[in-house]
Structure formats: C-alpha cells, structure tokens
Amino acid sequence: LGSAALSTILPSLRLVLVSRVFWLVAAAHGGATMVKSSERILGTYYRDTSNGAVTEGKAGAMTVFLSMGMLIGLLFGGRAFALAADGERGRESGIAPAANVNS
C-alpha cells in the first residue's frame, strides 16, 4: 500500500478500534455465535449430564428457553445499545445525545 492509502486507512482503522460500540457489537456477535452453535448439542448435554433427572423432552425445552432468552435479551438490549451508540456519536461530533422521549 502506498503512503497516501496508509494515511487515510490508519486514522479510520484507529477510530473503529477505539469505538466502544464496535467492541460491544463484536462481543455480542461472538457470544451469539457461540450460543447458536452450542444449541445443536446442548439438549444432549443436559440429558446426559443430569443422571436421568432431565428427560429428552425437558432437555429440548431447556434449549428452546435458551434461544428465547437470547431473543428477549436482544429485544431489550437493543434499546440500550441504541442509546450507547447515540451517546458515542454525540461525543465524536461534540453533540449531546438525544433525550429519551419515550420514558
């Protein structure tokens, strides 16, 4: 890469890497990926490690509730994320975050 390309790419990359919102999204995405991939074997794990206390049906239900919990977390956590993103945009531009008119 040429010097001109580096002088434009590096400041942009630096802004992304110091962004709190970027790291929140990265952590959430990584966590969601782990949970979604673990769902395939989680029911079997619950059943096999419970020494018969968890039936196959209950193990499947527990796995479904994990997915539902993740969805509910995204629904409620999405609002918190949006407020954090607005706050970060305001700090970058010197503008205060918008007031929450819904509460």
Side-chain angles (χ1 to χ4, degrees):
L1 289 173
S3 175
L6 283 178
S7 66
T8 58
I9 292 173
L10 288 179
S12 298
L13 183 61
R14 192 172 295 122
L15 278 175
V16 169
L17 292 177
V18 299
S19 170
R20 188 174 54 174
V21 173
F22 170 78
W23 290 109
L24 284 172
V25 169
H29 185 64
T33 301
M34 286 191 306
V35 168
K36 292 302 287 178
S37 61
S38 71
E39 281 180 347
R40 296 179 197 139
I41 61 167
L42 205 53
T44 304
Y45 173 78
Y46 287 151
R47 188 194 54 183
D48 290 350
T49 58
S50 70
N51 294 325
V54 177
T55 64
E56 196 169 321
K58 285 181 184 177
M62 291 169 73
T63 304
V64 168
F65 279 114
L66 177 71
S67 297
M68 288 174 51
M70 192 169 107
L71 179 62
I72 291 169
L74 286 171
L75 291 173
F76 289 107
R79 182 176 173 147
F81 172 77
L83 291 173
D86 285 345
E88 185 153 325
R89 270 189 237 114
R91 277 194 304 277
E92 290 172 357
S93 63
I95 301 170
N100 189 357
V101 295
N102 293 334
S103 7

